[in-house]
Amino acid sequence: MKALILVGGFGTRLRPLTLSVPKPLVDFANKPMILHQIEALKAIGVTEVVLAINYQPKIMQNFLKEFEKKLDIKITCSQETEPLGTAGPLALARDILRDDSGEPFFVLNSDVICDYPLKEMIEFHKSHGGEASIMVTKVDEPSKYGVVVMEEATGRVDKFVEKPKVFVGNKINAGIYLLNPSVLDRIQLRPTSIEKEVFPSIAAEKKLHAMILPGFWMDIGQPRDYITGLRLYLDSLRKISSPDLAVGHHILGNVLIDESAVIGDGCLIGPDVAIGPGCVIESGVRLSRCSIMRGVRVKNHACISSSIVGWHSTVGRWARVENMSILGEDVNVGDEVYSNGGVVLPHKEIKFSILEPQIIM
């Protein structure tokens, strides 16, 4: 089987992290976002993953060569010279995706984090015999999204309603699809939307079915959702009693700590924290609802909550970083400095407190 991951986009909502690496390579729960998807695809027998890229392709290719060997899976890049939307990249990669087997192929949005029930999706796709399957997830406020209206009993999709003013359903597109090769014949090589153009035409022919996603789901393409997604992901590890979760008298709730990280005395860590490789957390530090990326040093008695600290940054003694502060790569926060929602670009030194949410250039 093959799969295509829609990588495109400049990752503007996750800046300043995406000023250092393309968004799919930003760490989530101690590994690059895209690796969660590639590993899930490999686990159910996918042999080739195509990355639809239009931004920083060289960085992506160099990085993924290493994982191609480690995971023993073929990773191919299909580069757009202009943004082609969510369907155009399928037309561009048509010759790679189509082979003699006639097997369906997966398409995933690179921002999506979930349990990836891909094996179940293959069974669902075979059972209904249609041309395409999409994964849907239930949401509390459907008026914010495009809603998928479907037959509950069969999963057959009736229509799509964009940001409905009145309630028509509570299921939205989860960004994971399984498509027969014949879908490629419906797509022209031009900027086009799979959600707004391709799927409605398949639904009109009664050949599109939706499977309700079991478990959690989150689009982690912006900081607040990234932090929420981390909580949901760590909770899913707890449910399967994952040995990866940290234990100890200093751990509160679900916490992921890389084995190479060093934790000082008297710390209180959690809930919902990921600490990456090579981090040094000095004594008396308090961490909650945050992501601490590779090579970060957090000095004595600092406090970090509801924030993301980028690679190789330093947080000073008795400093406080909170309220969705995002520190880019190699940021140095001084001793006793307070950041209230500061978004700090890479390679900056912060000597004064950030009292109101703002971007520090």
Side-chain angles (χ1 to χ4, degrees):
M1 281 190 87
K2 296 184 179 182
L4 180 134
I5 302 177
L6 295 163
V7 169
F10 298 107
T12 49
R13 296 177 304 162
L14 264 187
R15 284 179 183 164
L17 302 169
T18 49
L19 296 173
S20 296
V21 297
K23 182 174 59 177
L25 302 188
V26 170
D27 294 336
F28 176 83
N30 293 355
K31 61 183 161 192
M33 277 184 202
I34 199 164
L35 213 49
H36 290 271
Q37 301 187 328
I38 293 173
E39 287 176 351
L41 290 163
K42 164 74 180 174
I44 54 109
V46 169
T47 53
E48 182 172 4
V49 175
V50 182
L51 305 181
I53 298 176
N54 67 11
Y55 178 57
Q56 294 183 313
K58 280 278 178 285
I59 296 174
M60 288 288 292
Q61 285 166 328
N62 292 342
F63 170 84
L64 289 162
K65 273 197 172 43
E66 175 195 344
F67 286 99
E68 205 174 23
K69 286 196 187 81
K70 269 186 191 171
L71 297 174
D72 188 28
I73 188 170
K74 188 176 180 185
I75 300 173
T76 312
C77 288
S78 173
Q79 192 188 347
E80 305 165 29
T81 51
E82 60 165 333
L84 290 171
T86 51
L90 277 73
L92 188 65
R94 197 189 320 260
D95 293 342
I96 308 173
L97 293 170
R98 180 176 269 148
D99 57 26
D100 298 336
S101 72
E103 285 285 311
F105 59 89
F106 282 101
V107 177
L108 286 80
N109 286 343
S110 67
D111 292 352
V112 168
I113 199 84
C114 65
D115 282 329
Y116 304 112
L118 305 179
K119 191 162 177 282
E120 295 88 330
M121 196 175 190
I122 294 169
E123 289 162 8
F124 172 76
H125 186 74
K126 284 177 180 167
S127 72
H128 66 67
E131 195 174 3
S133 299
I134 66 173
M135 199 88 80
V136 295
T137 186
K138 294 178 182 177
V139 291
D140 294 332
E141 294 183 58
S143 60
K144 287 182 181 175
Y145 305 93
V147 172
V148 181
V149 181
M150 57 186 272
E151 280 183 4
E152 291 293 325
T154 63
R156 188 170 61 75
V157 175
D158 182 30
K159 59 182 177 178
F160 297 83
V161 182
E162 191 61 33
K163 295 183 179 173
K165 295 281 189 291
V166 295
F167 184 84
V168 293
N170 65 348
K171 295 169 195 74
I172 65 164
N173 182 346
I176 300 174
Y177 320 129
L178 188 55
L179 312 177
N180 286 353
S182 56
V183 173
L184 295 168
D185 298 327
R186 297 175 177 267
I187 305 168
Q188 295 175 6
L189 184 51
R190 60 176 176 83
T192 177
S193 164
I194 198 166
E195 300 87 356
K196 292 177 181 171
E197 297 175 63
V198 181
F199 287 156
S201 70
I202 302 175
E205 296 174 23
K206 300 185 172 16
K207 293 179 179 175
L208 180 66
H209 288 70
M211 172 182 154
I212 298 171
L213 177 75
F216 80 102
W217 176 90
M218 184 55 64
D219 176 331
I220 55 172
Q222 54 190 352
R224 199 168 291 279
D225 294 338
Y226 175 107
I227 294 292
T228 302
L230 182 62
R231 173 176 63 79
L232 296 171
Y233 175 80
L234 294 176
D235 191 47
S236 76
L237 293 185
R238 169 73 63 200
K239 283 174 181 163
I240 60 166
S241 303
S242 170
D244 296 337
L245 290 175
V247 291
H249 63 275
H250 61 300
I251 301 295
L252 197 64
N254 300 328
V255 174
L256 204 56
I257 302 176
D258 188 87
E259 59 186 18
S260 63
V262 177
I263 311 293
D265 296 330
C267 292
L268 187 56
I269 298 172
D272 309 323
V273 173
I275 299 173
C279 289
V280 176
I281 310 298
E282 294 184 2
S283 61
V285 166
R286 175 73 178 102
L287 303 176
S288 64
R289 298 180 305 282
C290 62
S291 180
I292 310 295
M293 293 185 180
R294 184 179 59 253
V296 167
R297 177 177 287 268
V298 183
K299 294 188 175 178
N300 296 334
H301 304 290
C303 177
I304 301 171
S305 67
S306 301
S307 297
I308 303 172
V309 180
W311 312 270
H312 306 292
S313 291
T314 302
V315 177
R317 293 177 190 83
W318 296 98
R320 278 171 62 206
V321 176
E322 61 187 35
N323 190 24
M324 218 47 67
S325 291
I326 315 295
L327 308 185
E329 181 183 14
D330 181 36
V331 167
N332 188 352
V333 176
D335 294 347
E336 299 180 34
V337 165
Y338 172 52
S339 173
N340 174 29
V343 174
V344 185
L345 270 63
H347 316 298
K348 295 283 171 200
E349 186 171 9
I350 305 299
K351 295 179 179 177
F352 303 101
S353 290
I354 303 165
L355 300 177
E356 296 291 332
Q358 59 182 286
I359 297 170
I360 307 297
M361 312 266 298

